[in-house]
Amino acid sequence: MALVKLLELLLCSFFLVGCHSSQSSQQVSSAPHPKGEPSPLGEDNLSFPWSRLRLPRYIIPLHYHLVLQPNLTTLRFTGSVQIQIDVQNNSNWVVLHSKGLQISKATILDHNFAHLTDQVLPVLHNPSHEQIGIFSPRVLSSGQKYFLYIEFGAEFAEGFYGFYKSTYKTSKGETRTLASTHFEPTSARMAFPCFDEPSFKANFSIQIRRSPQYISLSNMPIVKTVELHGGLLEDHFAPSVKMSTYLVAFVICDFKSVTATTTSGIKVSIYAAPEKWEQTHYALEVAVKMLDFYEEYFNIPYPLPKQDLIAIPDFQSGAMENWGLTTYRETSLLYDPLTSSVSDKLWVTMVIGHELAHQWFGNLVTMKWWNDIWLNEGFARYMEFISAEATYPNLKVEEYLLHTCFAAIGHDSLNSSRPISSPAENPTQIKEMFDTVSYEKGACVLHMLRHFLTDEVFQSGIVRYLRKYSFGNAQNQDLWDSLANTCSEEEFISGKHCYSRDQINKNAYLFAGEHLDLTAIMNTWTLQKGIPLVTVTRKGPRLLLRQHRFLKTVLPSDPQWSSLQQGFLWHIPLTYRTDTSSIIHRHLMTSTSDSIHIGEEASWVKINSDMTGYYVVHYEDDGWDVMAKLMRENHTALSYKDRTHLIHNAFQLVSAGHLSLNKAMDLIGYLQLEKHTVPLLEGLGYLEAFYNLIEKINELELTKDLGRYILHFFRAVIDQQTWSDSGSVSERRLRSEVLSLACHLDYPPCLERANQHFQEWLQSNGTLNLPTDVAETVYSVGAQHDHGWNSLLDTYKISLSEAQKNKILQALTSSRDTEKLQRLLQLGLEGKVIRSQDLSSLILMVARNPKGHYLAWNFVKKNWDELVEKLQLGSFSIRHILIGTTGQFSSPDDLIEVQLFFESIKEQASQLRATQIALDNMKKNIRWIQRNLEILRKWLNEQIK
């Protein structure tokens, strides 16, 4: 979406008042002025000059000089900011952002630093829009530069946004305090008054005053430290590059670090609490490798002299890409070889890859507005895979990309999904943009585009994009133009190497022999919601193709089907191969129906080779029988990705009512022959999902039958697992998943071995290091008894390994004792033993437990206001709580109950897309149970006979 047009602003006269007067519903207040200062001018006669959520464009910030003095004893901070501004339209008002700050003084100086007036300037507040307006009695002239000087103070924020406090405990039980920032998307305004929108890029010079026992960190390195009166030190940081406010960061702490240097001389440091210093070494290795890789891949030097990565004890999200000072949850940065599993190692690697990719995608080039946040997050998510595959090939990250796309499809097949590029105006709407669509779908669409254009063209296109918009802002069209090598007429005439927009159809890339309009193609993926279903019918030598919108909550027989399909059309880059050749064929499908020639001799055809395309495929008539036969007789004729894709699509089609459950179950019958982890776990995952859904309803016999079938069918795989950390990454991942499920299904050999390991761990007083890949399973079995559960909770309280604590928490929430589950929820709400950052995860863990299913939901209803206060409306934590606690409800009564609660919080629920997603998920579950329960029962009876 476009920003406020300058044209509208140019129509305003000298005074902004009267051009955009405040709406009556807005609360406007004036700031108190200090005693002894001259009285503000006519403050009571002024009304707030701006009524829009987005700031006016007539004043542009150029440089912030920010001085902060945080006090970790009183838990307050004071500060001043001097902002150099460029005035582009005559006005008496400066409107900018401020939230929760007490403004004590505001003045404006001219370019010679002379005060425009001796009087204290009036500061009006519009809390509903988190804006302040500063009135100057002297007109600020268009074309001139001024300095806006503001003094302010506030308490450290409670929660995880703005400038907030964090604490940690030493091994001796001492509590230590630090202060850290998290500004994305709209919380820089909680730390200092600023123009807090992504397109208002500026330079920042920061000074932080601190006690000698602490260090301070910010985006840039310290250039000097000055001693002040009272024993304080003042760190002066080098001026930053031009960047958005949400990327500013500072931390005051007593942490230790490890440091290394990249090939190009960038200083990389990892910071953590002193007693966790030894857990920082793997992250340092990864960060250095990743920075070297990205500099080479993007062919653009990292523009700062240093990159710090710091593990913050209280941190809501996984990490944050602040330029030069990336902040992380401890589980996302710290790796302890004694307690971290191979999955933990993979997670740390991927998160670091994500945040360092942001140093280019997001920091160097930033989206113009939050509607295109996917340009940041989708790219960073996809670059995780590209960077990790290049730097750590042994981690086999390409195996996880399929699941990223599967997660996107699960969300996108609901009517409550949204387009990748969607309107977002207020802070709650903006926070909700950080979701599966921006991250996972964005990454998968880029993956499709990369294969569509080829690796070389894709890479050169994004380098062109980054170079052209460096230190600036971009939107969707800019990316498509860069990838298609187009430019403006002016650029074309000036002789730059690009095509004019008029020539795009002549010069765009070829795909299957056709000239393409990349913008037209990609708009169908980013400007409309949903995912296409391609239905394939074999007619002799030809394949007949149809595309529809894929929906799991509405059947073709439902009255609303046609209206929900209306207007949806994708330009789909189809790929396929047959048994007659190893060649991957390509075809661009741009209409609702199409056909391709494959020849009479082809006995099978697999559409969407290696799932490089973002679409679901349905093989009509006997198509799925042909695929099941191929899998039984010669499954290695297909790649492991194709086998995984077939399994996924089949069960997705069952959920949508396009395929019978019998057919999907028959398809995975071949899995006893499967040797690759990914398709094996995909099939097992669906059976486990059915089990988890059914065990939460009153179907005891069916639950037992399904559990027995899973154990019987996968017994060979289960029995061959060792209780160790040996093997490849894939083998270790399989071991963790399979043994966890086997013990959950009460498989006696699994329980016996887990109990043996747990008793050994108890006898060692928790000092024995269990094999990391099975530790969570061992803890979960041990947690079923009072002594084991209490011992685990005691260990949780003192452990210095967040990886171990996460495994223990998973185990504690697996208890069948509802009193214990209730106690955990209460500990999470209190936020001392179990940190508030882990509260949403804790609630979801309890909700997955059949004994905690309704317990978690009732807890959410009872404590809703406190949860919103702690975690913020619109945050991913609130979203996960709403979707996760209701995600396995599958009865009409459950649906009514949840609808009534959402109605009771209507004012908040109406702002959240998550509430509709939760309801859609429940409707999907209800339909699945109604359609498939008896089919599954009958199918299992036939298998068990």
Side-chain angles (χ1 to χ4, degrees):
M1 292 191 48
L3 293 171
V4 179
K5 295 179 183 177
L6 282 172
L7 176 61
E8 295 171 333
L9 295 167
L10 293 173
L11 297 175
C12 302
S13 59
F14 283 168
F15 299 116
L16 203 56
V17 176
C19 186
H20 292 293
S21 60
S22 286
Q23 297 169 353
S24 59
S25 61
Q26 295 171 341
Q27 292 181 332
V28 178
S29 59
S30 57
H33 59 277
K35 292 180 180 178
E37 297 278 2
S39 297
L41 295 163
E43 191 174 89
D44 296 337
N45 299 320
L46 297 172
S47 60
F48 201 82
W50 192 250
S51 64
R52 300 180 181 180
L53 276 166
R54 296 201 205 178
L55 296 178
R57 308 295 301 172
Y58 68 93
I59 289 183
I60 307 297
L62 302 175
H63 196 120
Y64 293 76
H65 189 102
L66 178 63
V67 180
L68 289 167
Q69 184 169 331
N71 188 317
L72 298 183
T73 303
T74 64
L75 303 181
R76 286 187 56 84
F77 65 94
T78 56
S80 65
V81 64
Q82 179 181 281
I83 311 172
Q84 185 183 26
I85 55 176
D86 182 8
V87 177
Q88 300 188 351
N89 187 42
N90 290 350
S91 179
N92 291 74
W93 285 96
V94 180
V95 179
L96 67 163
H97 287 110
S98 176
K99 181 183 179 183
L101 299 174
Q102 292 90 48
I103 309 295
S104 55
K105 184 178 181 181
T107 58
I108 297 177
L109 302 88
D110 64 19
H111 67 282
N112 293 318
F113 293 97
H115 287 267
L116 297 190
T117 177
D118 293 334
Q119 294 173 297
V120 175
L121 299 183
V123 180
L124 270 61
H125 292 246
N126 184 352
S128 65
H129 286 182
E130 301 174 357
Q131 295 170 357
I132 56 173
I134 298 172
F135 177 79
S136 169
R138 198 168 126 193
V139 172
L140 305 179
S141 301
S142 178
Q144 297 297 309
K145 293 179 175 63
Y146 298 88
F147 293 93
L148 173 65
Y149 177 80
I150 305 173
E151 293 179 3
F152 57 91
E155 295 180 353
F156 288 128
E158 292 290 335
F160 307 97
Y161 290 92
F163 195 12
Y164 70 95
K165 71 164 186 173
S166 176
T167 61
Y168 71 93
K169 278 193 174 182
T170 68
S171 57
K172 296 179 181 178
E174 179 189 354
T175 298
R176 295 188 180 174
T177 303
L178 61 142
S180 182
T181 58
H182 186 106
F183 293 159
E184 190 181 34
T186 60
S187 294
R189 63 194 69 172
M190 296 172 68
F192 59 99
C194 56
F195 297 78
D196 200 11
E197 294 177 5
S199 62
F200 284 118
K201 289 194 169 186
N203 303 99
F204 294 82
S205 296
I206 296 174
Q207 296 168 216
I208 296 178
R209 295 170 182 171
R210 60 176 172 86
S211 298
Q213 70 265 35
Y214 298 108
I215 61 170
S216 71
L217 302 169
S218 189
N219 306 83
M220 300 298 289
I222 294 173
V223 291
K224 68 176 179 179
T225 299
V226 178
E227 290 189 25
L228 304 176
H229 294 295
L232 289 179
L233 301 176
E234 184 176 77
D235 294 327
H236 293 232
F237 295 88
S240 77
V241 295
K242 194 176 178 185
M243 64 184 186
S244 304
T245 48
Y246 78 86
L247 295 171
V248 175
F250 28 89
V251 180
I252 299 87
C253 62
D254 64 351
F255 285 4
K256 304 290 186 188
S257 66
V258 292
T259 301
T261 306
T262 68
T263 304
S264 61
I266 306 300
K267 180 182 175 184
V268 179
S269 301
I270 315 293
Y271 287 84
E275 291 180 294
K276 298 181 180 181
W277 177 83
E278 292 186 353
Q279 301 176 41
T280 59
H281 298 283
Y282 178 68
L284 182 64
E285 173 196 307
V286 173
V288 169
K289 278 190 176 184
M290 291 285 189
L291 270 180
D292 280 338
F293 168 78
Y294 283 134
E295 284 198 312
E296 181 179 352
Y297 186 89
F298 295 135
N299 196 23
I300 298 172
Y302 175 73
L304 307 186
K306 62 95 174 176
Q307 173 63 240
D308 296 334
L309 302 84
I310 183 167
I312 305 297
D314 296 283
F315 201 86
Q316 188 176 43
S317 58
M320 175 59 206
E321 66 266 21
N322 318 298
W323 217 346
L325 176 57
T326 51
T327 47
Y328 297 76
R329 184 181 279 238
E330 288 184 327
T331 50
S332 300
L333 189 67
L334 304 182
Y335 175 78
D336 177 10
L338 298 178
T339 58
S340 298
S341 67
V342 69
S343 295
D344 297 326
K345 189 174 194 177
L346 177 70
W347 174 249
V348 168
T349 309
M350 298 289 272
V351 174
I352 292 174
H354 183 103
E355 302 312 323
L356 295 186
H358 270 312
Q359 308 303 298
W360 285 264
F361 278 102
N363 299 9
L364 184 65
V365 179
T366 311
M367 72 278 141
K368 282 188 178 178
W369 185 252
W370 301 106
N371 62 302
D372 278 332
I373 185 60
W374 85 278
L375 290 174
N376 287 19
E377 299 303 345
F379 260 109
R381 187 80 176 95
Y382 189 45
M383 290 308 300
E384 292 176 31
F385 294 96
I386 294 176
S387 62
E389 191 173 347
T391 54
Y392 290 91
N394 62 307
L395 290 178
K396 302 288 184 185
V397 293
E398 71 275 6
E399 296 180 0
Y400 295 83
L401 181 57
L402 289 175
H403 296 284
T404 295
C405 298
F406 294 163
I409 291 169
H411 181 94
D412 225 10
S413 56
L414 304 177
N415 193 44
S416 50
S417 186
R418 65 170 180 85
I420 285 179
S421 184
S422 299
E425 294 298 322
N426 66 46
T428 297
Q429 292 169 345
I430 291 168
K431 284 189 183 75
E432 278 216 307
M433 293 293 288
F434 292 79
D435 64 357
T436 303
V437 174
S438 290
Y439 286 74
E440 278 71 26
K441 183 178 179 179
C444 296
V445 167
L446 289 170
H447 181 60
M448 179 172 65
L449 184 59
R450 182 186 178 202
H451 284 268
F452 175 46
L453 297 176
T454 73
D455 290 358
E456 183 181 351
V457 171
F458 178 80
Q459 184 177 353
S460 63
I462 62 174
V463 169
R464 189 180 302 115
Y465 167 80
L466 290 171
R467 286 184 181 277
K468 183 171 182 179
Y469 298 100
S470 286
F471 303 106
N473 299 82
Q475 53 193 350
N476 269 354
Q477 187 61 53
D478 301 322
L479 177 61
W480 311 146
D481 287 349
S482 297
L483 287 165
N485 206 14
T486 66
C487 60
S488 67
E489 290 297 328
E490 182 182 346
E491 289 171 325
F492 181 66
I493 292 167
S494 69
K496 294 189 177 182
H497 297 288
C498 55
Y499 304 130
S500 72
R501 194 172 293 278
D502 290 341
Q503 291 180 310
I504 186 168
N505 289 326
K506 299 176 184 176
N507 298 306
Y509 298 108
L510 289 173
F511 182 79
E514 301 172 67
H515 287 285
L516 305 172
D517 182 341
L518 192 62
T519 297
I521 293 168
M522 296 312 298
N523 281 349
T524 70
W525 297 98
T526 59
L527 301 184
Q528 66 180 348
K529 67 180 179 180
I531 179 172
L533 168 65
V534 176
T535 301
V536 183
T537 308
R538 178 76 180 267
K539 293 294 181 185
R542 301 196 69 78
L543 287 182
L544 306 184
L545 309 170
R546 304 190 313 276
Q547 65 160 291
H548 295 97
R549 181 183 173 199
F550 180 60
L551 285 168
K552 286 195 288 194
T553 49
V554 182
L555 295 173
S557 57
D558 291 338
Q560 64 267 47
W561 170 263
S562 57
S563 64
L564 292 174
Q565 293 291 335
Q566 195 168 358
F568 284 89
L569 176 69
W570 287 265
H571 291 189
I572 308 172
L574 293 173
T575 56
Y576 64 95
R577 85 174 188 88
T578 70
D579 58 328
T580 61
S581 171
S582 60
I583 295 172
I584 295 176
H585 302 276
R586 299 167 180 267
H587 177 77
L588 187 67
M589 184 179 183
T590 58
S591 56
T592 55
S593 60
D594 204 345
S595 68
I596 50 179
H597 185 274
I598 62 168
E600 292 277 5
E601 63 277 10
S603 61
W604 56 262
V605 59
K606 166 65 176 64
I607 309 289
N608 200 355
S609 298
D610 285 345
M611 202 189 153
T612 53
Y614 185 71
Y615 54 95
V616 177
V617 181
H618 177 33
Y619 301 91
E620 218 168 31
D621 298 335
D622 66 343
W624 282 105
D625 295 329
V626 172
M627 287 301 171
K629 183 174 183 288
L630 174 62
M631 299 278 259
R632 284 194 306 271
E633 296 177 357
N634 187 20
H635 67 278
T636 55
L638 299 172
S639 69
Y640 83 84
K641 291 180 181 178
D642 275 338
R643 301 195 298 272
T644 307
H645 178 238
L646 282 172
I647 294 169
H648 170 266
N649 276 198
F651 283 105
Q652 290 296 302
L653 290 164
V654 170
S655 289
H658 295 288
L659 188 67
S660 73
L661 181 60
N662 287 344
K663 298 262 188 188
M665 297 295 279
D666 290 344
L667 181 75
I668 62 170
Y670 92 97
L671 282 176
Q672 288 182 321
L673 306 172
E674 183 61 76
K675 301 299 181 187
H676 200 285
T677 296
V678 177
L680 194 60
L681 286 179
E682 184 67 15
L684 182 60
Y686 276 105
L687 295 178
E688 185 177 3
F690 300 160
Y691 183 90
N692 290 338
L693 188 64
I694 294 166
E695 74 171 340
K696 293 180 176 68
I697 61 178
N698 192 24
E699 286 285 351
L700 298 180
E701 283 305 313
L702 182 58
T703 302
K704 289 179 183 177
D705 287 347
L706 181 55
R708 281 198 294 266
Y709 172 76
I710 294 171
L711 289 173
H712 172 75
F713 189 79
F714 291 99
R715 183 169 179 175
V717 177
I718 296 168
D719 288 346
Q720 72 186 22
Q721 301 305 316
T722 61
W723 292 70
S724 68
D725 285 337
S726 62
S728 67
V729 171
S730 295
E731 290 166 343
R732 294 178 65 180
R733 180 182 165 215
L734 179 67
R735 175 186 302 129
S736 291
E737 299 283 346
V738 166
L739 291 179
S740 174
L741 179 58
C743 281
H744 178 66
L745 296 177
D746 294 330
Y747 183 48
C750 185
L751 294 175
E752 182 181 339
R753 191 67 183 272
N755 268 315
Q756 178 187 334
H757 278 286
F758 189 74
Q759 291 306 316
E760 292 170 356
W761 180 80
L762 279 179
Q763 289 165 13
S764 73
N765 289 323
T767 60
L768 175 71
N769 291 308
L770 294 167
T772 58
D773 297 332
V774 297
E776 186 181 316
T777 298
V778 171
Y779 292 148
S780 295
V781 172
Q784 303 312 312
H785 308 288
D786 287 349
H787 178 57
W789 194 90
N790 289 322
S791 298
L792 284 165
L793 184 58
D794 289 341
T795 302
Y796 181 90
K797 292 175 181 177
I798 62 171
S799 175
L800 291 174
S801 166
E802 289 300 313
Q804 182 188 39
K805 290 177 72 171
N806 188 55
K807 294 174 181 61
I808 291 175
L809 192 59
Q810 292 271 8
L812 291 170
T813 59
S814 72
S815 172
R816 295 178 176 90
D817 184 338
T818 55
E819 288 187 6
K820 289 185 172 65
L821 299 179
Q822 188 67 58
R823 182 182 171 193
L824 289 172
L825 291 171
Q826 195 56 42
L827 289 173
L829 196 64
E830 291 168 3
K832 295 176 182 176
V833 173
I834 300 174
R835 291 180 181 271
S836 295
Q837 68 171 13
D838 299 316
L839 179 54
S840 62
S841 298
L842 169 69
I843 294 170
L844 265 59
M845 291 175 195
V846 173
R848 283 195 287 267
N849 185 333
K851 296 291 185 181
H853 187 38
Y854 290 109
L855 193 70
W857 172 242
N858 290 330
F859 175 83
V860 171
K861 289 191 298 179
K862 180 182 177 182
N863 298 285
W864 173 252
D865 290 338
E866 191 169 351
L867 290 173
V868 171
E869 185 180 350
K870 281 177 175 289
L871 304 174
Q872 287 208 4
L873 196 68
S875 69
F876 82 93
S877 295
I878 290 293
R879 182 166 65 248
H880 287 180
I881 287 171
L882 289 175
I883 297 171
T885 53
T886 60
Q888 301 234 302
F889 286 173
S890 58
S891 77
D893 288 344
D894 290 335
L895 179 61
I896 293 169
E897 151 76 15
V898 174
Q899 286 173 325
L900 287 172
F901 174 68
F902 288 166
E903 185 65 28
S904 74
I905 57 165
K906 188 174 183 178
E907 186 177 341
Q908 293 167 317
S910 64
Q911 301 179 57
L912 299 175
R913 192 178 290 109
T915 54
Q916 193 55 52
I917 295 170
L919 295 174
D920 273 1
N921 268 325
M922 294 172 65
K923 292 172 186 175
K924 176 197 69 177
N925 292 344
I926 291 168
R927 289 210 170 206
W928 194 96
I929 292 290
Q930 290 171 344
R931 284 198 302 260
N932 296 301
L933 207 62
E934 293 310 314
I935 296 173
L936 180 61
R937 195 191 317 275
K938 184 179 177 183
W939 188 89
L940 286 172
N941 287 337
E942 292 173 356
Q943 304 302 312
I944 293 170
K945 285 179 182 176

